[in-house]
Amino acid sequence: MERITWDQFFMAQSHLLALRSTCTRLAVGATIVREKRIIAGGYNGSISGDEHCTEKGCYVVDNHCVRTIHAETNALLQCAKYGTQANGADLYVTHFPCLPCTKTIIQAGIKNVFYAKDYKNNPYALELFAKANVNVVHVPFDGVKIDFLKDEKLTLAVNMLEKLRGLGASSEELLPFEEKVNELFGRFIKA
């Protein structure tokens, strides 16, 4: 297995946190890091003890769910709750922060924001980050690199293609499937 970079490692942590999200509109995860050590993490969801969007549906006001605390804010609140300084730390988040989270990130003293996916990137948020000297870096997340079953899935795909070939599927019929296997696994499968 190929060794992933630190940025991919921390982004993977954020994607894992997003799997805990109770938001039905968009699952987001955030990881706060200092000196290559995780100091806090958060995902978007309801406050402790309240109903979750997965249970009661979103509580939408002005096209925004007011039931949800955003992942970045939850991670920063975790720092505050347990007495861990966020000042000078890095933030890894699955999606570009919204404007209110941008303000919170800046006020908390985060120095670098790494995000995996563009999401309604607000120009004013970018302006605020620039004014506050917060470095913002797009780090596309490559989930294939953390797929623990990648080799088994590739073997299954190859075996299925061979079975189809043995049952009489033509090269032309198999070509789109072989191309998809090559795209997903980054390996060359030949008819």
Side-chain angles (χ1 to χ4, degrees), residues 165-180:
R165 192 172 287 110
L167 293 171
S170 70
S171 295
E172 294 79 28
E173 291 173 313
L174 293 176
L175 184 61
F177 299 110
E178 291 169 341
E179 288 173 346
K180 188 63 179 178

Side-chain angles (χ1 to χ4, degrees), residues 89-107:
D90 299 331
L91 174 75
Y92 289 81
V93 62
T94 57
H95 296 77
F96 188 85
C98 69
L99 186 55
C101 283
T102 296
K103 294 174 186 178
T104 303
I105 290 164
I106 291 168
Q107 286 299 96

Side-chain angles (χ1 to χ4, degrees), residues 13-176:
Q13 296 295 319
S14 295
H15 279 81
L16 284 172
L17 282 162
L19 294 175
R20 292 278 308 149
S21 172
T22 60
C23 178
T24 57
R25 294 163 41 119
L26 181 70
V28 179
T31 305
I32 300 176
V33 175
R34 179 189 311 289
E35 297 174 5
K36 306 235 182 300
R37 299 290 178 259
I38 296 170
I39 60 173
Y43 51 87
N44 55 333
S46 301
I47 63 169
S48 298
D50 195 16
E51 294 99 1
H52 294 282
C53 296
T54 52
E55 300 164 351
K56 296 285 187 178
C58 292
Y59 182 14
V60 179
V61 176
D62 295 330
N63 202 30
H64 186 77
C65 181
V66 296
R67 185 186 312 279
T68 301
I69 299 173
H70 290 189
E72 303 93 323
T73 300
N74 261 332
L76 290 166
L77 288 170
Q78 189 179 73
C79 285
K81 186 175 184 176
Y82 295 106
T84 306
Q85 273 196 22
N87 189 38
D90 299 331
L91 174 75
Y92 289 81
V93 62
T94 57
H95 296 77
F96 188 85
C98 69
L99 186 55
C101 283
T102 296
K103 294 174 186 178
T104 303
I105 290 164
I106 291 168
Q107 286 299 96
I110 297 292
K111 288 299 170 199
N112 297 293
V113 173
F114 301 91
Y115 71 98
K117 295 177 188 165
D118 290 312
Y119 182 73
K120 300 180 181 180
N121 299 28
N122 187 305
Y124 186 51
L126 285 167
E127 183 182 328
L128 289 175
F129 278 138
K131 283 181 181 177
N133 293 318
V134 174
N135 187 35
V136 178
V137 180
H138 181 225
V139 178
F141 179 63
D142 186 0
V144 169
K145 291 189 177 182
I146 63 158
D147 185 351
F148 299 113
L149 300 175
K150 181 179 178 180
D151 292 336
E152 289 85 353
K153 290 175 184 177
L154 175 61
T155 300
L156 175 63
V158 170
N159 290 343
M160 290 171 74
L161 287 170
E162 288 301 319
K163 181 73 170 178
L164 289 170
R165 192 172 287 110
L167 293 171
S170 70
S171 295
E172 294 79 28
E173 291 173 313
L174 293 176
L175 184 61

